[in-house]
Amino acid sequence: MKDEAQPLIRLTNLKKIYYTDEVETHALAGVNAEIARGEFVSIIGPSGCGKSTLLSILGLLDTPTEGRYMLNGTAIEDLSAAMRAKIRNREIGFIFQGFNLIGDLTVFDNVELPLTYRDGMSRAERKERVQASLERVGMSHRMKHYPAQLSGGQQQRVAVARALVGQPSILLADEPTGNLDSRNGDAVMKLLEQLHADGATICMVTHDQRFAVCAKRRIAMFDGQVVDEQALEELRANELRQPLSEQAAARSAV
Amino acid sequence: MQPVFQEMRHALQKLRKDLGFTALAVLTLGLGLGATLYMFTFVKAYLLSSLPFPDAERIVHVEQVNTRRGDDGIAITQRDFVEFGRVQQSFVELAAFHIANVGLADDELPTRLAGAYISPSAFDAIQSGARMGRVLSPADAQPGAPPVIVIGNDIWRNRYNSDPQVLGKTIRVNGVPTSIVGVMPEGFEFPFNQSIWMPLQIDMTQPAGPDSPRLQVFGRLKPGVTLEQAAAEFANISKSLGEMYEENKNLTTVIKPFEDAYISKSARTVVGAMFAAVLFVLLIACANVANLILVRTAARQKEIAVRAALGANRWRIVTHVLTESVLLATLGALMAAFLAERGLDITNRALIAADKERPFWVDLSIDWKVLVFAAAAAILTGVIAGLVPALSATRTDVIQYLKDGAKDTGMSASKISRAMVIVEVGLSCILLVCSGLMIRSVVNLQNVDLGIDNTQMLTGRISLLETKYPDPASQLRFFENLVDRLEADPGVVAASAAWSYPGIDGRLTPYRTRAMAGAEPDDLPPTNYAGVMSNYLDVVGLKLVRGRWFDSRDRADSAPVAVIDQGFAERAFPNVDPIGQEILLGGRGNTNAQWLTIVGVSSRVLLDQANDPYHPAVFVPLSQAPSRFMTVAVRTVGEPINFAQRLRETVSALDPDTPVYWVRTLDDWIWVANFTPRLVSILFGIFALIALILSAVGVYGVLAYSVTQRTLEIGVRRAVGASGSRIINLIVGQGMLQLSLGLGVGLLLAMLFSRFLSSMLHGVSAFDPFTLGSVVVVLIAVGLFASLMPALRAIRVDPVKALRSE
């Protein structure tokens, strides 16, 4: 039994370092954070601050170099690739900026895809879940269509349905409105808010302030670290005033 | 199994959507697998099949070998068979037979059938019984026993309309009234493809000389006795016989599986080599499809990344890619089964047309064994073709692809593709070399100089019944009458009868000159010889270069004479005039032979099949060497085959009980003799052509993909001033590098591989420089052509667009 009082996600001094030849890049430099069940959190920060790296680690697509990542009471960092794939399938729903629907599969098949990686689920149950999920995002009438036959907004709603269909513990959304016009972007954000209202835990990476405020809590990042929002604004302002050479020197010192 | 079904459903959807890719991959695999199934049917038939009798592996063949001369496969004399049977302890039953074309006459037209005189114990040895009536019994083989015959199921069904009252019916077999006592089950054609069986009567009064009747001996090993133990026992018996009898000196015994006696080692080697060749074609097909899938997988890296993000583990991704390739291979296998079936049908018809008989247990058709192989080959092919792309797919950088879709699809995929093309070119090179050698060999065979004029000649074989023509004089009279009647026909220029003719058959025997007086019989050189009529020269168009030909002076009771060909004269009498010299034909134990005086020398002639090596030739007058078994030949005014019916009618008018068989033109004999090497060369040609096309497609595919991948690089090169020719050099150079590497490896391997074909090569070395050079030229030309198209596409790259798209 998982302890419902425990946060869904707990990150302790999480670090990610990339090594290329003689260069060491600290993408995450000791991140500490928690996300509770039912929370809607947005991660904000400038380009290269580590948002996407953090999201990849949260989504079990990548592993931290150091530190601890507890998901639903399970320590993730030492799990095998196969085990991570299994947990990813059960606990996490991804929504990507570029939708990432598979062009050769119908809407139904795309949404069904995560369930096909799950053992012991009957075809009838899969069908029921896919239909429910598509109805939830208002796309059940396009089940037999292929992605190319849908608009960008519709494709993203299908992607949301695919993320929801496995009934994951958390939805990870990486710039979900980045490829959409403002009207479709608004519609997708409303959908996420509705899902959150229905009890879904959502963690969204965005650089769009308009949508970041929709989240109930914001985690600000700068140079691989979590900072408070006020500090982030100050850091940005300083950066604008500093010459480029000094900025580079400051970053390499992290 | 559920995940596999899901992957199959998805894979089918994808293949249906991309019909161009599917068709190309299925066609490629279909050709590779089709060739493989076709040749596997030969492997199954010739290498894996055994006699259809219980414990067939215990049925073995016994033959003799002359250790001094190196001759093997020597049939056993009746006396030795009796001696072996008296002493041996290794066999439950030791049996013997000799096969013969048997004249069968009843209410219908006389016919000749493939039959066997067989010892009654043979049926116990192979543990086979009659479907109706009985098999032969020991009493049937006793001297003076009433003549009986056992017939095959086909004759019973076709000639006697499955008459249940056929048992006891009397028919004439070789002119002798004989009673039918049994009908064998369907498919029984032991020992080779016989359809009637008569008791073998051992006549111990016959002298055991080189020309004495010989038997094929076989038996069933006792339980627990190995082939080696039996061989050791028979070697000891042979040694004892060698000490007792002069003609058994230097003879030992070889015991081998029965099937090996009828399927030669060289035939097995050629079938094995050709199967290896089609495996090369299959490997090339696999490499090509692997490249296609690799390119397709590279283009689908993002999809694979999405699947990984949604929880697909490494195994599921491998399954995903492999399912697609196995499905393609399965579709390819269906096409392959169709192609192989068609190919085998054509081959079987060609074999029948060429009178190429094969053992009855050799079945060249697609059966369950071939289908099981096809299923296994399809799955294995799918896995081989899909494995590299599948493993490559698991190395997809998920994060990178989900983020923005990487433009570089991975150097490893390109490197693998290039390596596979090198392998393809190498394998094609081997096949092209083998094909080239076989084609050169067949051209040599087809142009072989028999030393005669082989046009306008029709021939037919006649076997006189011993009961009607018991003595040499009556036999000679029959053929002289026949030739007189034929020459009276206005459609005939000349006619003759002889033991054999150039291009049809040969009879090899050792010979001795007076100068070889002290030579050991087993050290004597061989010559072909034939008894011929005096008008032989006119029919075959042979030239007499010295002395005289046979005429009325050469009678049965006159001094024995011979005419030799120039080849004989050069070898036996290099420094003396051969006219007047004497020769003795026959080897060890030939005590009745007479010295023959040479009266003439003909031009050089190949008195053997067209694909046999040349041996010197000796002719003797038929009057001094008559035979019941002769070939008549007529030189016709018109198309020779149109005279076939007249020939049959003329023979039938002379004796209705004597059929004429093997009626063919001399050109047809040459065609038949060269059939096997021609078939092998055609098959190698087809395999090599498929390999060449697939390799060209492979080179093209990899370069075309490379051009797509290097669009930016080409754009940059163009932007900084590279000319069109520099870009063409860049792309063609890449293709030529792969080609050169493949060619180098391929030529080396081809020289090793072609040695397996040496037994089939005629007048061409396995390392023939012309063939090797031609293959290099062909491959370079094809490689240049395949490289040029992607290169031309490369120079059309617009640098502005290429740089902007980046």
Side-chain angles (χ1 to χ4, degrees):
Chain A
M1 278 294 282
K2 304 289 179 193
D3 184 357
E4 294 294 321
Q6 289 287 316
L8 179 66
I9 286 172
R10 174 176 287 161
L11 308 176
T12 312
N13 196 27
L14 206 68
K15 291 182 181 171
K16 180 70 184 179
I17 305 168
Y18 293 111
Y19 301 93
T20 47
D21 296 331
E22 292 172 2
V23 182
E24 229 180 73
T25 308
H26 293 251
L28 296 179
V31 172
N32 293 292
E34 287 183 357
I35 298 174
R37 287 170 209 284
E39 257 197 306
F40 187 170
V41 178
S42 66
I43 301 174
I44 57 170
S47 290
C49 70
K51 302 189 297 287
S52 293
T53 303
L54 180 60
L55 203 71
S56 297
I57 291 173
L58 289 177
L60 277 59
L61 293 173
D62 206 352
T63 50
T65 312
E66 274 181 58
R68 167 138 288 209
Y69 171 18
M70 300 289 288
L71 173 65
N72 221 353
T74 305
I76 298 301
E77 60 275 5
D78 298 326
L79 293 178
S80 66
M83 201 60 203
R84 285 207 310 274
K86 196 168 181 175
I87 294 174
R88 188 159 64 237
N89 179 259
R90 288 190 174 277
E91 305 283 354
I92 291 164
F94 273 108
I95 303 165
F96 306 101
Q97 177 179 356
F99 325 135
N100 285 339
L101 297 177
I102 296 174
D104 294 333
L105 301 183
T106 62
V107 164
F108 182 95
D109 289 336
N110 264 291
V111 177
E112 189 194 24
L113 199 58
L115 302 183
T116 64
Y117 298 136
R118 207 171 275 194
D119 297 330
M121 186 176 282
S122 70
R123 194 165 184 183
E125 190 183 351
R126 289 205 307 268
K127 189 176 176 187
E128 196 179 313
R129 283 222 207 171
V130 171
Q131 280 173 339
S133 193
L134 282 169
E135 270 167 29
R136 207 166 162 190
V137 300
M139 287 299 292
S140 57
H141 62 298
R142 294 294 178 103
M143 256 190 277
K144 290 182 181 168
H145 286 64
Y146 285 92
Q149 296 169 301
L150 305 178
S151 69
Q154 286 174 320
Q155 288 193 42
Q156 192 60 303
R157 275 150 69 189
V158 173
V160 173
R162 182 177 63 186
L164 288 173
V165 75
Q167 296 171 350
S169 302
I170 185 167
L171 292 178
L172 298 180
D174 189 2
E175 304 277 8
T177 58
N179 279 14
L180 299 174
D181 57 26
S182 59
R183 191 171 59 83
N184 279 313
D186 288 344
V188 167
M189 278 316 297
K190 275 187 186 149
L191 181 60
L192 291 180
E193 282 178 320
Q194 182 59 49
L195 293 173
H196 170 58
D198 293 344
T201 309
I202 302 174
C203 177
M204 176 176 71
V205 165
T206 183
H207 63 267
D208 192 328
Q209 283 298 322
R210 222 160 36 94
F211 297 128
V213 296
C214 295
K216 304 300 176 233
R217 182 159 69 94
R218 287 183 291 284
I219 297 174
M221 290 194 72
F222 193 84
D223 280 349
Q225 288 175 313
V226 174
V227 294
D228 63 45
E229 268 191 86
Q230 199 177 343
L232 177 65
E233 291 308 317
E234 284 170 13
L235 285 166
R236 275 184 168 169
N238 282 340
E239 215 173 47
L240 287 173
R241 285 192 294 270
Q242 258 181 337
L244 282 174
S245 56
E246 286 179 26
Q247 286 177 36
R251 285 196 177 160
S252 63
V254 172
Chain B
M1 284 304 284
Q2 201 182 29
V4 175
F5 287 129
Q6 283 161 358
E7 294 299 350
M8 277 176 72
R9 194 165 59 86
H10 284 167
L12 270 175
Q13 271 177 339
K14 280 177 186 302
L15 294 180
R16 218 170 32 217
K17 281 196 78 178
D18 198 348
L19 281 177
F21 161 81
T22 307
L24 187 60
V26 169
L27 183 70
T28 304
L29 289 175
L31 286 173
L33 275 169
T36 308
L37 287 195
Y38 175 87
M39 272 319 296
F40 178 76
T41 310
F42 278 81
V43 169
K44 174 212 69 170
Y46 283 95
L47 307 186
L48 305 178
S49 296
S50 56
L51 287 169
F53 304 129
D55 299 325
E57 72 283 356
R58 303 202 66 74
I59 302 171
V60 296
H61 187 265
V62 182
E63 63 188 34
Q64 288 176 322
V65 172
N66 185 316
T67 51
R68 182 144 183 165
R69 293 178 68 92
D71 296 342
D72 58 3
I74 302 171
I76 291 169
T77 61
Q78 295 192 10
R79 186 197 62 207
D80 288 358
F81 170 61
V82 172
E83 288 286 346
F84 284 136
R86 193 171 56 77
V87 181
Q88 68 86 21
Q89 297 293 319
S90 300
F91 291 88
V92 180
E93 297 288 350
L94 194 65
F97 61 85
H98 70 83
I99 57 177
N101 279 304
V102 178
L104 190 148
D106 47 22
D107 308 332
E108 294 187 35
L109 277 174
T111 186
R112 291 204 80 79
L113 293 169
Y117 290 91
I118 190 164
S119 53
S121 57
F123 294 92
D124 292 331
I126 58 177
Q127 297 183 359
S128 282
R131 66 162 292 172
M132 224 167 80
R134 65 173 177 84
V135 294
L136 301 170
S137 72
D140 297 328
Q142 294 303 313
V148 294
I149 187 171
V150 174
I151 61 173
N153 190 72
D154 282 357
I155 296 177
W156 177 61
R157 194 176 55 217
N158 299 330
R159 197 170 176 96
Y160 300 111
N161 298 318
S162 306
D163 179 8
Q165 307 299 318
V166 75
L167 297 179
K169 185 180 172 75
T170 299
I171 57 175
R172 274 177 296 147
V173 176
N174 285 345
V176 178
T178 305
S179 179
I180 298 174
V181 295
V183 178
M184 293 308 286
E186 185 164 6
F188 183 93
E189 292 177 36
F190 187 82
F192 191 75
N193 52 9
Q194 274 50 50
S195 50
I196 49 175
W197 298 268
M198 290 128 313
L200 173 69
Q201 294 181 336
I202 302 293
D203 181 5
M204 291 298 285
T205 60
Q206 292 261 9
D211 296 325
S212 65
R214 287 176 178 266
L215 303 172
Q216 302 293 329
V217 176
F218 72 101
R220 177 178 286 273
L221 291 171
K222 282 180 180 171
V225 175
T226 63
L227 198 133
E228 290 74 23
Q229 287 168 336
E233 187 198 15
F234 272 64
N236 280 334
I237 301 173
S238 291
K239 197 175 170 192
S240 305
L241 292 174
E243 288 161 3
M244 287 162 66
Y245 305 112
E246 169 66 13
E247 58 273 17
N248 282 62
K249 211 174 159 188
N250 297 331
L251 286 183
T252 188
T253 320
V254 165
I255 297 182
K256 56 189 178 189
F258 187 88
E259 297 84 357
D260 289 8
Y262 291 91
I263 300 171
S264 67
K265 200 176 169 187
S266 68
R268 286 165 190 267
T269 307
V270 169
V271 169
M274 296 196 67
F275 187 61
V278 292
L279 289 182
F280 293 167
V281 177
L282 184 61
L283 274 179
I284 293 170
C286 280
N288 252 12
V289 173
N291 263 343
L292 283 173
I293 298 176
L294 204 60
V295 171
R296 195 170 139 88
T297 309
R300 283 167 45 197
Q301 297 280 32
K302 189 160 187 172
E303 176 196 325
I304 288 161
V306 171
R307 286 174 182 274
L310 296 177
N313 57 28
R314 178 178 279 234
W315 165 240
R316 278 302 290 265
I317 289 170
V318 168
T319 310
H320 174 72
V321 179
L322 281 186
T323 304
E324 190 172 282
S325 63
V326 171
L327 256 177
L328 286 170
T330 307
L331 293 172
L334 291 176
M335 181 182 155
F338 172 77
L339 290 176
E341 200 275 327
R342 292 283 77 216
L344 288 167
D345 185 47
I346 293 167
T347 307
N348 275 314
R349 275 191 271 166
L351 286 167
I352 290 167
D355 271 351
K356 286 286 167 187
E357 293 168 343
R358 49 183 188 270
F360 72 102
W361 66 88
V362 167
D363 173 26
L364 277 180
S365 67
I366 293 182
D367 59 9
W368 68 269
K369 287 181 199 163
V370 179
L371 290 178
V372 167
F373 174 81
I379 292 170
L380 192 65
T381 300
V383 171
I384 291 172
L387 198 62
V388 171
L391 293 177
S392 160
T394 61
R395 289 193 290 270
T396 297
D397 185 344
V398 177
I399 300 163
Q400 187 69 14
Y401 275 96
L402 292 178
K403 208 168 159 185
D404 53 8
K407 285 198 165 56
D408 181 10
T409 50
M411 278 305 288
S412 62
S414 310
K415 279 182 188 164
I416 295 165
S417 291
R418 283 180 217 164
M420 283 198 282
V421 166
I422 292 168
V423 172
E424 283 183 40
V425 172
L427 293 174
S428 300
C429 181
I430 297 173
L431 289 171
L432 282 170
V433 168
C434 292
S435 169
L437 290 173
M438 285 308 302
I439 289 168
R440 295 254 296 156
S441 179
V442 168
V443 169
N444 288 344
L445 281 171
Q446 210 60 40
N447 295 333
V448 73
D449 182 12
L450 296 175
I452 60 163
D453 175 10
N454 49 292
T455 58
Q456 303 289 108
M457 267 182 76
L458 184 73
T459 65
R461 188 79 173 163
I462 290 173
S463 304
L464 295 178
L465 298 177
E466 195 174 7
T467 47
K468 289 182 83 169
Y469 305 94
D471 55 275
S474 61
Q475 293 160 11
L476 184 62
R477 205 160 41 245
F478 173 88
F479 287 108
E480 284 175 344
N481 285 339
L482 176 62
V483 166
D484 286 345
R485 288 191 184 205
L486 287 169
E487 289 200 321
D489 193 299
V492 172
V493 177
S496 178
W499 295 0
S500 68
Y501 288 85
I504 297 183
D505 203 1
R507 192 182 289 190
L508 216 53
T509 187
Y511 71 88
R512 185 190 291 273
T513 62
R514 292 288 183 189
M516 300 172 185
E520 272 289 306
D522 289 330
D523 294 336
L524 296 175
T527 182
N528 274 311
Y529 74 122
V532 300
M533 289 178 83
S534 55
N535 46 3
Y536 190 84
L537 278 185
D538 301 332
V539 175
V540 299
L542 195 63
K543 305 268 186 306
L544 187 71
V545 293
R546 294 216 50 203
R548 70 170 176 90
W549 187 249
F550 308 126
D551 55 29
S552 57
R553 284 172 284 176
D554 304 309
R555 299 181 311 275
D557 55 356
S558 62
V561 292
V563 171
I564 58 173
D565 81 334
Q566 273 182 314
F568 192 107
E570 285 160 12
R571 288 191 193 186
F573 308 107
N575 302 315
V576 292
D577 183 357
I579 305 296
Q581 300 289 335
E582 290 184 312
I583 56 170
L584 187 72
L585 299 179
R588 186 185 293 283
N590 190 18
T591 49
N592 298 329
Q594 289 179 289
W595 285 93
L596 312 174
T597 305
I598 296 167
V599 294
V601 178
S602 77
S603 53
R604 186 184 165 103
V605 63
L606 176 60
L607 192 57
D608 213 332
Q609 291 194 357
N611 59 342
D612 281 325
Y614 169 79
H615 285 105
V618 174
F619 299 100
V620 293
L622 197 62
S623 53
Q624 294 176 353
S627 170
R628 289 197 293 122
F629 307 101
M630 302 279 280
T631 297
V632 286
V634 286
R635 182 167 291 282
T636 59
V637 175
E639 191 62 38
I641 198 65
N642 294 341
F643 193 73
Q645 189 55 31
R646 294 265 282 287
L647 176 63
R648 287 193 182 93
E649 286 166 1
T650 309
V651 174
S652 183
L654 199 59
D655 182 354
D657 281 344
T658 299
V660 55
Y661 53 101
W662 295 348
V663 177
R664 286 187 194 137
T665 66
L666 196 54
D667 283 340
D668 284 346
W669 275 108
I670 297 167
W671 189 88
V672 166
N674 295 337
F675 178 81
T676 306
R678 191 185 303 108
L679 177 67
V680 172
S681 79
I682 289 171
L683 291 178
F684 260 116
I686 292 171
F687 300 153
L689 188 66
I690 295 172
L692 189 64
I693 293 170
L694 291 182
S695 297
V697 171
V699 171
Y700 168 79
V702 168
L703 289 182
Y705 180 60
S706 169
V707 168
T708 312
Q709 291 297 100
R710 296 168 75 179
T711 302
L712 173 67
E713 177 198 329
I714 293 165
V716 171
R717 285 175 186 270
R718 294 289 269 170
V720 298
S723 64
S725 60
R726 292 292 290 267
I727 299 294
I728 287 179
N729 285 345
L730 180 76
I731 303 300
V732 173
Q734 183 189 333
M736 286 295 111
L737 178 67
Q738 288 165 242
L739 192 100
S740 309
L741 290 171
L743 203 54
V745 175
L747 282 175
L748 282 175
L749 292 176
M751 284 193 272
L752 291 174
F753 190 80
S754 58
R755 287 190 310 167
F756 294 109
L757 292 179
S758 51
S759 67
M760 296 283 288
L761 297 180
H762 189 96
V764 58
S765 147
F767 310 109
D768 178 42
F770 177 79
T771 306
L772 296 176
S774 303
V775 168
V776 171
V777 171
V778 167
L779 271 174
I780 287 177
V782 170
L784 271 175
F785 181 71
S787 310
L788 211 56
M789 283 189 284
L792 291 175
R793 191 188 297 170
I795 59 169
R796 286 198 295 270
V797 167
D798 180 345
V800 178
K801 278 188 188 166
L803 296 171
R804 193 182 292 147
S805 69
E806 178 60 11

